[in-house]
Amino acid sequence: MAYETIIVEVEEGIATITLNRPAVLNALNDKVFNELGEAALSLSADNSVRVVIITGGDKVFAAGADISQMANSTAVDVATREKVSHRAFQLLENLPKPVIAAISGYALGGGCELTLVADVRIAADNAQFGLPEIKLGILPGAGGTQRLPRLIGAGRAKELIFSGDFIKADEALRVGLVNKVVPADQLAAETRKLAKRFASRGAVALRLAKASVNEGLRMDLEAGLEYEHKCFSLLFATEDQKEGMKAFLEKRPAQFQGK
Ligand code: COA
């Protein structure tokens, strides 16, 4: 599919979505949100795709929602537009395969919120994160007030949201906002290495493991454990479970077929 504001490439079962509005530091407008949503749907349905990487390239991840689009918006415009971002981000968050964000440079506002819908975040050592919306007289409206506290705790999230301050990659690692920090020139290679590791696992087990974590986080512990048990039981109906355990007993690497 041809997109205007993103580039989607698939190589060896790993899809890469690259934000592509360099003139405005990959600012996210409605077109970007819609295209991200379309890409999420299309990559969900493509069985040849095992893992998805989201990146902004090697200079900037994204400097937030497009302020020029928002500046003269009415409350009614925004009520509709925010749903556009929520829809896209929920489609990405629920994509039934691992999603890795590879972050170089600024990940601000909606850009930072976009990293939060990934399963794993890898930052280049030049990355900077922040939710500067408060400085514009608004609040993070693409999931930031909900996903960030769930990821790093309410106290740390509120400090970022109330101050609008940026934090560097090492601080983002310290507070648990990213999984790993790597030298900027190794971001793409390190991300691909992890993507390949995920891709070598069974696709059905990955899908249910992701659903178990994501759905479980929306439930109380008891319901989450019940959900996990259903996913766990279901995997015993797969060929991959038979192969995984047989391979272990035969002391050889498993060859998963995603069945
Ligand atoms: N929306 C729209 N345009 C944006 C943008 C955004 N969120 N962020 C950057 N841009 C545009 C700038 O207007 C500029 O366009 P111009 O060349 O036509 O003037 C271009 O991208 C480059 O940005 P610039 O500000 O010149 O780069 P910088 O290196 O001096 O500063 C930032 C980088 C990220 C610190 C700065 O651009 C910034 O603060 N951006 C807004 C961040 C923000 O508040 N995000 C939350 C939005 S809700």
Side-chain angles (χ1 to χ4, degrees):
M1 192 180 288
Y3 300 102
E4 279 175 35
T5 62
I6 59 174
I7 298 167
V8 179
E9 292 159 306
V10 181
E11 203 187 320
E12 295 177 315
I14 297 167
T16 303
I17 303 175
T18 307
L19 302 167
N20 188 29
R21 298 187 77 212
V24 286
L25 310 184
N26 291 335
L28 309 165
N29 61 11
D30 283 0
K31 182 92 185 160
V32 182
F33 289 126
N34 284 328
E35 292 195 340
L36 284 173
E38 289 314 310
L41 284 172
S42 135
L43 296 174
S44 293
D46 184 343
N47 286 336
S48 73
V49 171
R50 311 287 299 277
V51 177
V52 177
I53 295 169
I54 303 179
T55 187
D58 54 10
K59 292 196 177 59
V60 62
F61 186 77
D66 193 320
I67 299 171
S68 62
Q69 178 184 272
M70 285 188 294
N72 296 315
S73 297
T74 65
V76 174
D77 294 336
V78 175
T80 318
R81 185 175 306 143
E82 288 308 338
K83 283 196 184 139
V84 172
S85 69
H86 282 175
R87 174 181 169 274
F89 284 9
Q90 279 168 309
L91 286 168
L92 287 166
E93 185 169 46
N94 296 321
L95 214 150
K97 11 201 138 181
V99 177
I100 307 173
I103 307 137
S104 202
Y106 292 115
L108 305 176
C112 183
E113 290 167 301
L114 174 56
T115 73
L116 300 175
V117 304
D119 301 307
V120 172
R121 283 153 288 282
I122 304 191
D125 54 10
N126 66 1
Q128 291 198 57
F129 297 82
L131 292 170
E133 286 87 345
I134 205 82
K135 297 188 203 159
L136 300 168
I138 56 171
L139 58 75
T145 66
Q146 303 306 304
R147 293 192 179 96
L148 190 62
R150 283 168 170 80
L151 183 67
I152 66 171
R156 288 184 172 127
K158 284 176 182 164
E159 189 179 341
L160 282 171
I161 293 166
F162 296 174
S163 68
D165 288 345
F166 300 171
I167 56 171
K168 295 194 168 146
D170 55 350
E171 176 69 357
L173 180 66
R174 199 183 65 76
V175 301
L177 175 48
V178 300
N179 297 60
K180 193 172 182 182
V181 178
V182 299
D185 62 357
Q186 289 166 35
L187 179 66
E190 286 288 328
T191 306
R192 206 159 178 87
K193 212 193 290 176
L194 183 63
K196 279 188 174 166
R197 203 146 77 242
F198 289 164
S200 73
R201 312 305 187 208
V204 190
L206 283 172
R207 179 188 191 118
L208 291 185
K210 176 164 175 171
S212 191
V213 175
N214 281 10
E215 296 301 325
L217 285 170
R218 296 175 191 134
M219 300 172 186
D220 62 33
L221 182 61
E222 197 116 319
L225 289 170
E226 191 50 40
Y227 188 84
E228 179 193 76
H229 186 65
K230 288 199 166 68
C231 293
F232 181 68
S233 312
L234 192 55
L235 288 172
F236 283 77
T238 64
E239 290 174 22
D240 283 353
Q241 176 268 330
K242 306 287 176 263
E243 163 62 10
M245 295 192 180
K246 191 162 178 272
F248 175 82
L249 295 173
E250 291 172 0
K251 303 191 189 305
R252 61 171 174 83
Q255 298 296 327
F256 293 118
Q257 303 301 323
K259 291 181 186 162

